[in-house]
């Protein structure tokens, strides 16, 4: 998908419809398969019906216990939902002078172990001269309600991560156990942008608003969410020129701790938009 020679996006239908490369206005913003192993990084995957982990893959919904397959067996957890490895199908595209967009979709018609609910999910990527917007629509095609949270897992490139800064408005973050399952919420104070330096992050902030700012020597961007409740997971992998900044509606183990957990009733549609907007460096 391309608007002109300076902005382009690569979308992998067979990898959960994830975006595997993004350049905006000549700046390489999001990293994909050229740097990351998708099977371990989940690079730019849409995380549904849960973001991050479900402890032991077990949860109770409406007095019934469900058991998910464990895709992170060493931690005994189910991780990052059920669509990250699904094959999406092309639905439509739209091209104009100012933007290009494509809509893709996946429909679950089987009773999957641990989440035996039928649903459809559509992803619409819209690329313009200085922004990328991802619009998600989830439809409950089942006869019963189901629980869910949703998130997005992009990895952002920086020419110098040490001299890059993350700005968030938050006074609370989660405290995790050794398996990255939340134990409690603690109060924090953030008075200025967080310099990445050589710090290793695997932190989840509870945001006071719906935006986060990432400033690198090459570019500055704003990450926006249309959700009213916003959690932001920040993770630094071994490769030190990239960082995952993950907006989501609920944290790890939300099916059990109920943080950010929503319910979608039969025939209802849930919608959320995430937007990456490039700005002048500040």
């Amino acid at each position: 998908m391309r608007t002109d020679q300076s902005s382009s996006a690569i979308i992998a239908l067979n990898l959960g419809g994830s975006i595997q490369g993004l350049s905006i206005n000549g700046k390489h913003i999001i990293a994909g398969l050229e740097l990351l192993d998708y099977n371990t990084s989940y690079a730019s995957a849409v995380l549904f019906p849960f973001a991050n982990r479900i402890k032991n893959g077990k949860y109770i919904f409406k007095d019934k216990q469900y058991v998910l397959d464990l895709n992170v067996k060493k931690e005994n957890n189910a991780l990052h939902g059920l669509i990250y490895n699904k094959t999406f199908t092309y639905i439509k595209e739209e091209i104009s002078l100012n933007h290009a967009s494509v809509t893709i979709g996946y429909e679950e018609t089987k009773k999957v172990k641990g989440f035996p609910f039928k649903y459809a999910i559509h992803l619409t990527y819209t690329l313009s001269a200085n922004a990328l917007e991802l619009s998600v629509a989830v439809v409950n095609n089942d006869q019963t309600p189901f629980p869910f949270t949703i998130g997005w897992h992009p990895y952002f490139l920086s020419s110098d991560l040490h001299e890059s800064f993350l700005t968030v408005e938050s006074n609370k973050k989660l405290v995790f156990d050794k398996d990255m399952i939340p134990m409690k919420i603690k109060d924090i104070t953030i008075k200025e942008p967080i310099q990445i330096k050589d710090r290793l992050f695997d932190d989840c902030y509870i945001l006071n608003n719906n935006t986060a700012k990432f400033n690198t020597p090459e570019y500055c961007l704003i990450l926006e969410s249309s959700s009213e409740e916003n959690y932001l997971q920040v993770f630094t992998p071994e490769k030190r020129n990239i960082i995952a900044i993950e907006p989501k509606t609920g944290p790890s183990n939300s099916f059990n701790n109920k943080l950010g957990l929503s319910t979608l009733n039969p025939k209802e549609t849930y919608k959320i938009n995430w937007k990456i907007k490039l700005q002048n460096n500040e």
Side-chain angles (χ1 to χ4, degrees):
M1 184 169 66
R2 181 183 298 273
T3 55
D4 54 35
Q5 295 303 311
S6 62
S7 296
S8 63
I10 300 170
I11 298 167
L13 292 175
N14 63 328
L15 298 177
S18 59
I19 189 164
Q20 290 300 315
L22 173 67
S23 293
I24 300 177
N25 198 19
K27 308 291 186 182
H28 197 178
I29 306 295
I30 288 181
L33 297 177
E34 79 279 10
L35 290 177
L36 295 157
D37 175 12
Y38 184 80
N39 292 324
T40 56
S41 69
Y42 304 86
S44 292
V46 174
L47 314 177
F48 176 84
F50 56 89
N52 299 104
R53 293 160 173 79
I54 302 297
K55 184 177 181 179
N56 301 323
K58 296 179 181 179
Y59 67 97
I60 294 174
F61 179 66
K62 294 192 177 296
D63 299 322
K64 182 177 179 180
Q65 185 177 71
Y66 297 87
V67 181
L68 296 153
D69 282 334
L70 304 180
N71 55 341
V72 186
K73 293 187 171 137
K74 65 179 181 179
E75 298 176 0
N76 206 40
N77 293 323
L79 180 65
H80 288 334
L82 301 173
I83 67 167
Y84 64 87
N85 60 354
K86 297 297 186 289
T87 296
F88 278 62
T89 57
Y90 166 86
I91 296 175
K92 66 178 181 179
E93 65 182 29
E94 179 181 321
I95 299 174
S96 72
L97 291 175
N98 299 318
H99 74 272
S101 71
V102 62
T103 299
I104 58 178
Y106 173 77
E107 185 173 1
E108 183 56 78
T109 59
K110 299 177 182 178
K111 298 286 188 180
V112 175
K113 179 186 174 184
F115 197 79
F117 309 102
K118 298 177 182 180
Y119 60 88
I121 183 165
H122 289 175
L123 311 179
T124 299
Y125 292 95
T126 302
L127 181 64
S128 58
N130 67 341
L132 174 81
E133 185 169 4
L134 170 55
S135 301
V136 183
V138 181
V139 183
N140 183 345
N141 288 331
D142 213 276
Q143 297 180 348
T144 59
F146 59 69
F148 76 97
T149 59
I150 192 166
W152 188 28
H153 202 308
Y155 283 81
F156 294 94
L157 284 158
S158 173
S159 60
D160 188 347
L161 201 57
H162 188 283
E163 294 297 329
S164 298
F165 297 81
L166 177 67
T167 303
V168 295
E169 289 188 20
S170 173
N171 50 24
K172 296 182 183 297
K173 67 184 295 188
L174 297 179
V175 178
F176 297 100
D177 66 13
K178 63 180 179 60
D179 295 323
M180 294 305 296
I181 299 299
M183 297 186 297
K184 64 180 181 179
I185 297 172
K186 75 173 184 178
D187 293 330
I188 60 172
T189 300
I190 301 175
K191 295 182 178 180
E192 57 188 20
I194 302 166
Q195 186 173 1
I196 306 303
K197 294 186 177 179
D198 293 321
R199 294 172 59 181
L200 294 176
F201 287 83
D202 205 348
D203 299 83
C204 184
Y205 299 93
I206 303 175
L207 299 186
N208 297 335
N209 57 17
N210 65 340
T211 64
K213 180 179 178 181
F214 185 50
N215 202 339
T216 81
E218 296 271 317
Y219 64 82
C220 177
L221 63 80
I222 300 293
L223 178 59
E224 298 178 348
S225 170
S226 65
S227 175
E228 293 183 0
E229 190 167 9
N230 291 283
Y231 295 76
L232 192 74
Q233 188 81 24
V234 181
F235 171 67
T236 46
E238 293 181 2
K239 296 180 183 295
R240 295 301 295 148
N241 63 330
I242 51 180
I243 183 170
I245 304 174
E246 312 164 39
K248 51 189 181 175
T249 61
S252 187
N253 206 33
S254 58
F255 278 15
N256 292 304
N257 59 38
K258 312 303 182 186
L259 294 173
L261 189 65
S262 296
T263 299
L264 192 62
N265 292 318
K267 310 311 175 187
E268 287 188 350
T269 300
Y270 170 84
K271 294 182 178 181
I272 189 170
N273 294 348
W274 293 297
K275 188 174 184 179
I276 298 168
K277 188 174 181 181
L278 209 62
Q279 297 192 321
N280 294 327
N281 284 62
E282 300 175 7

